[in-house]
Amino acid sequence: MPRFRETTLQSTPSVPRKERIKDPKDIMRSVDPAALYMLEKAKDQNLISSYDRFAAQQPQCAFGYEGICCRICFQGPCRIKPGDGPGSKGICGATAYTIVSRNIARMMAGGASAHSDHGRHIVHALLHAAEGKLADFKVTDVEKLNRVAERIGISAEGKTENELAVEVSKAALEDFGRQTDEPCTWLTTTITDGRNKKFADCCIAPTAIDRSVVSLLHQTHIGTDADPVNIIFGGLKCGLADYVGMHISTDLSDVLFGTPKPVVTEANLGVLKEDKVNVIVHGHNPILSQTVVNVAKEMEAEAKAAGATGIQLSGICCTGNEVLMRSGVPIATNFSSQELAIMTGAVDVMVVDVQCIMPSVQAVAECFHTKIVTTMDISKIPGAHHFAFDEEHAVESAKAVIRLAIEGYKNRQGMACDIPQIKNKVIAGFSVEAIVELLAAINPETPIKVLTDAVEAGELAGVALLCGCNNLESVHDNNHLTIARELTKNNVFVVTTGCSAQALAKAGMMAPEAIEEYAGEGLKNFLKRLADANQDKLTDGLPLVFHMGSCVDNSRAHDLSTMMAKQLNVDTPKVPFVASAPEAMSEKAVSIGAGAVAMGYPTHVGTMPPIEGSPLVFGIATQIASDVYGGYFIFETDPMVAAAKLLASLDNRTWKLGIHKKTAEKYETQLCENY
Ligand code: NFS
Ligand code: SF4
């Protein structure tokens, strides 16, 4: 096979814009059998969901789709028309490249805000718990606290765990609001020296999360920055601020609630139980959902007294992932199909916090007995119940939510329930710590070497992170499943987060049986070695793909690639590690993607962000980024072609790494720093 410069393979999507959405009238846009079952039922009963609304929105405006509609000031909207007449620029004279880069940068600012605000909430909870102000929270994982403190240079000596937690929390708050010019601690202490140098050289190391967001909004105000490269670099800085926010969230959530270890559970709508009180936690923040989980255990008796056989918790979106990872709570479904869960008629309460909650859940709930409970000051839905959740009264609020659900269960008696009996076994809970522990059973001295050796020897083709959302532009879950099957068939070790992980979990790809069905020989042998060495710890074997948690837990995948880089003695862009958001949709996905590219990963996006309106910005994302950072975007909407492109990127990296190593050995030199 001829070797290409990595990015020449990747440049343009193989499916032209006009052909991407084949049948906008067809609302059966899912490959999840449980979702399809519910969509049939919805059609019969005239219940409207996002699938219908997606069809109703077609054809979508091409200007907006391609990112060449500007609404930054209200002289607009300005739309960029072809040619070189006055219509080819906005009223202020902004060209397509300025408009596209500003729009996409503002998405990054939005994404970084969401992730980091969630992170800030966790920091405050830990700080207040450690100060003794919160009765319902405490430091749960002291070892993790010590590890984080040591990494950021805070000595634990002579300090109680609460004193240490206060110091660590205050250091985290510094990363949000620092007014001096040192880069964020959670950035500099978690990445390679090479990345630190690169970010300093390119002036994209964030000094504070809040400031990066504010600066980017300023930079993209009318009449500030018109230079697309400068705007995109500002966006990358925000992408790294997003990374800092994610990493703080993961670290301190682990300190508060425990670092995940392998758990066995189930996924898909079949986890709902007609004879139980069904409570769905939906959103992102583990503070609320974990409290609901803890309290539910104590309230089983109350549920039984009401005639139920118990309380069935399940999750949607990333708060679901948080409680799945730490407490084995099953997954009900993922983003696109959230309304369909309510249409089963079995959900007594859906309690939501922030992000990715469709406002329409309330409208659907009103057709059933289901109650929607919002809990956060910044996230309310007209018509829904609002139980203001504050950490001081966490347990009380969680109890109130469950009591409402028990009432709901009583009201539901005599009403029809229609739960598709579809679910799959899931083995999840793979924090980096858990993965390292598995690897250590083979090599206790240098666990990560088990993984890098397998890659260098060609047993594994590399590591891929499958992450991100659902987006009905693709058939629900289809991109996730197709890419995961192709990669595992070709011996890629797949780790996964977010709604991508939930798609794979629902489809049975986190069951041990999936290894036999999908894994190539190399991956099969690797996973078998790992399972054999850990027989004493694993009651149910290993899954085909490894669930690393929620979207903020992409930080765990970053840590894995950084460990690989350090072991291989190279910078992250040389590691055979790729990322893919097969059905990306949210602003968070854009900021995560920007951070991933800055870290040096080939980063695939399977649904088009609004960027095609400027060939220049498209080129910056897919080509120039690679020259500067080693990472780049691959925009590809056909999942089979996307998998081939990801495999080619991995192949290229492994091949290059081998050549560089051989050359360095031959001439007794260091590995070169370039990629
Ligand atoms: Ni990530 Fe996770 Fe899902 Fe997308 Fe929304 S829940 S934070 S944004 S849709 S993966
Ligand atoms: Fe139009 Fe410029 Fe205003 Fe954008 S900033 S809406 S291009 S005048």
Side-chain angles (χ1 to χ4, degrees):
M1 172 184 171
R3 305 278 168 180
F4 296 97
R5 190 171 160 274
E6 269 181 88
T7 47
T8 53
L9 279 169
Q10 329 290 5
S11 24
T12 25
S14 63
V15 188
R17 150 99 175 98
K18 285 199 181 72
E19 288 168 29
R20 278 186 209 144
I21 296 161
K22 291 211 177 70
D23 188 2
K25 295 270 167 341
D26 180 17
I27 63 153
M28 306 305 277
R29 294 180 67 80
S30 182
V31 291
D32 170 356
L36 287 169
Y37 179 95
M38 294 313 302
L39 284 170
E40 280 293 351
K41 177 180 153 150
K43 246 200 308 196
D44 292 348
Q45 302 188 355
N46 280 329
L47 293 165
I48 289 179
S49 70
S50 59
Y51 299 76
D52 304 272
R53 293 188 297 268
F54 174 83
Q57 286 295 337
Q58 304 309 318
Q60 284 165 300
C61 168
F63 292 101
Y65 186 87
E66 294 183 359
I68 42 175
C69 164
C70 183
R71 291 175 295 110
I72 280 176
C73 87
F74 53 90
Q75 293 186 92
C78 295
R79 297 175 307 172
I80 299 302
K81 306 193 180 94
D84 48 14
S88 67
K89 291 180 180 168
I91 294 167
C92 67
T95 56
Y97 58 63
T98 300
I99 290 174
V100 169
S101 54
R102 279 196 310 217
N103 285 343
I104 203 88
R106 285 193 160 218
M107 294 185 89
M108 294 172 196
S113 307
H115 273 147
S116 60
D117 217 26
H118 162 175
R120 187 193 333 260
H121 198 159
I122 308 280
V123 182
H124 280 146
L126 179 62
L127 177 64
H128 297 153
E131 287 174 341
K133 293 179 191 158
L134 302 179
D136 302 333
F137 298 93
K138 63 174 175 38
V139 172
T140 300
D141 193 337
V142 183
E143 277 174 37
K144 178 99 185 199
L145 173 66
N146 285 329
R147 277 199 304 280
V148 173
E150 192 189 333
R151 194 190 66 217
I152 63 172
I154 294 178
S155 161
E157 221 174 285
K159 291 170 196 161
T160 65
E161 61 193 49
N162 279 340
E163 284 165 355
L164 190 61
V166 168
E167 276 192 47
V168 168
S169 308
K170 287 188 173 164
L173 290 178
E174 268 285 286
D175 270 3
F176 284 88
R178 182 182 289 106
Q179 297 298 324
T180 52
D181 288 335
E182 300 85 53
C184 290
T185 307
W186 257 263
L187 180 71
T188 54
T189 59
T190 57
I191 57 178
T192 58
D193 294 344
R195 284 299 92 179
N196 269 315
K197 184 168 179 310
K198 173 61 75 183
F199 298 155
D201 288 350
C202 297
C203 302
I204 64 160
T207 58
I209 296 167
D210 296 354
R211 193 169 159 195
S212 304
V213 173
V214 170
S215 289
L216 191 56
L217 291 177
H218 177 190
Q219 190 176 357
T220 53
H221 188 273
I222 176 178
T224 307
D225 203 346
D227 177 342
V229 176
N230 209 39
I231 292 168
I232 295 293
F233 276 32
L236 292 182
K237 189 177 195 173
C238 222
L240 292 176
D242 178 273
Y243 165 85
V244 172
M246 291 199 301
H247 215 301
I248 290 175
S249 298
T250 301
D251 281 350
L252 302 192
S253 297
D254 283 355
V255 171
L256 268 176
F257 303 118
T259 305
K261 297 187 186 65
V263 288
V264 183
T265 181
E266 295 174 326
N268 219 342
L269 292 176
V271 305
L272 297 170
K273 297 276 171 339
E274 186 165 359
D275 58 357
K276 288 193 173 185
V277 175
N278 289 298
V279 179
I280 289 184
V281 292
H282 178 15
H284 284 77
N285 194 323
I287 297 183
L288 167 80
S289 55
Q290 195 64 49
T291 312
V292 171
V293 172
N294 298 345
V295 165
K297 286 180 205 139
E298 300 161 17
M299 295 183 68
E300 284 278 317
E302 243 174 89
K304 285 181 182 156
T309 59
I311 300 171
Q312 180 63 54
L313 296 177
S314 57
I316 298 180
C317 287
C318 280
T319 214
N321 283 326
E322 298 274 355
V323 288
L324 162 89
M325 293 286 285
R326 296 197 179 86
S327 304
V329 171
I331 292 166
T333 194
N334 55 356
F335 173 76
S336 281
S337 38
Q338 56 186 273
E339 297 153 292
L340 306 184
I342 301 171
M343 292 179 191
T344 60
V347 181
D348 299 307
V349 160
M350 180 185 272
V351 55
V352 304
D353 49 69
V354 284
Q355 303 165 24
C356 304
I357 301 140
M358 293 185 192
S360 57
V361 289
Q362 175 60 26
V364 179
E366 282 168 14
C367 303
F368 296 86
H369 79 295
T370 308
K371 299 276 182 284
I372 306 293
V373 178
T374 57
T375 54
M376 300 287 165
D377 291 350
I378 61 158
S379 182
K380 297 184 179 177
I381 302 173
H385 290 242
H386 186 76
F387 290 5
F389 177 88
D390 63 66
E391 288 75 45
E392 282 166 47
H393 307 98
V395 166
E396 237 170 86
S397 314
K399 280 189 178 158
V401 166
I402 293 180
R403 285 208 179 105
L404 187 68
I406 294 174
E407 277 311 302
Y409 172 84
K410 289 191 208 154
N411 296 338
R412 163 156 64 91
Q413 298 318 303
M415 292 183 194
C417 253
D418 189 1
I419 304 169
Q421 293 307 315
I422 297 166
K423 61 181 176 182
N424 272 298
K425 182 171 176 175
V426 169
I427 299 171
F430 296 99
S431 56
V432 171
E433 289 85 342
I435 293 178
V436 167
E437 203 183 320
L438 293 174
L439 299 171
I442 300 176
N443 183 344
E445 297 286 301
T446 330
I448 195 68
K449 197 162 178 295
V450 177
L451 182 59
T452 52
D453 279 356
V455 173
E456 286 193 289
E459 183 181 42
L460 294 179
V463 180
L465 164 66
L466 292 197
C467 56
C469 326
N470 284 143
N471 179 336
L472 288 177
E473 181 182 319
S474 102
V475 174
H476 173 216
D477 287 353
N478 184 46
N479 286 2
H480 295 296
L481 299 185
T482 309
I483 293 174
R485 283 178 193 141
E486 283 303 301
L487 295 184
T488 51
K489 185 171 96 190
N490 287 285
N491 301 313
V492 177
F493 179 63
V494 172
V495 295
T496 175
T497 58
C499 286
S500 184
Q502 297 183 322
L504 303 182
K506 285 188 294 170
M509 297 190 76
M510 290 179 189
E513 297 74 38
I515 299 179
E516 225 14 79
E517 200 173 342
Y518 299 111
E521 273 316 300
L523 179 61
K524 222 180 255 177
N525 292 338
F526 176 79
L527 292 175
K528 182 163 189 322
R529 256 202 334 282
L530 212 55
D532 288 348
N534 288 284
Q535 255 170 359
D536 52 327
K537 276 178 242 131
L538 301 165
T539 47
D540 291 65
L542 284 174
L544 171 68
V545 298
F546 282 49
H547 194 330
M548 293 193 97
S550 63
C551 289
V552 297
D553 294 332
N554 282 322
S555 67
R556 302 192 200 275
H558 277 286
D559 286 352
L560 187 67
S561 89
T562 300
M563 287 174 81
M564 291 175 76
K566 288 184 177 166
Q567 176 59 33
L568 292 164
N569 209 11
V570 295
D571 195 3
T572 28
K574 267 197 180 153
V575 178
F577 183 101
V578 293
S580 169
E583 302 176 17
M585 148 305 279
S586 75
E587 289 176 325
K588 291 175 286 176
V590 183
S591 54
I592 294 173
V597 165
M599 290 293 179
Y601 316 144
T603 303
H604 163 249
V605 185
T607 37
M608 273 315 278
I611 191 176
E612 285 169 291
S614 163
L616 179 65
V617 177
F618 195 91
I620 295 171
T622 55
Q623 311 271 343
I624 296 172
S626 146
D627 296 338
V628 183
Y629 298 103
Y632 51 89
F633 279 108
I634 302 167
F635 297 116
E636 177 53 63
T637 57
D638 180 320
M640 288 298 281
V641 181
K645 288 179 175 180
L646 287 164
L647 285 165
S649 292
L650 285 173
D651 179 56
N652 201 284
R653 288 194 169 204
T654 320
W655 167 76
K656 228 162 36 177
L657 190 64
I659 299 269
H660 286 178
K661 277 213 154 175
K662 269 192 210 139
T663 315
E665 271 163 32
K666 186 167 166 194
Y667 297 105
E668 295 179 7
T669 52
Q670 294 284 310
L671 276 182
C672 71
E673 278 190 13
N674 297 337
Y675 8 93

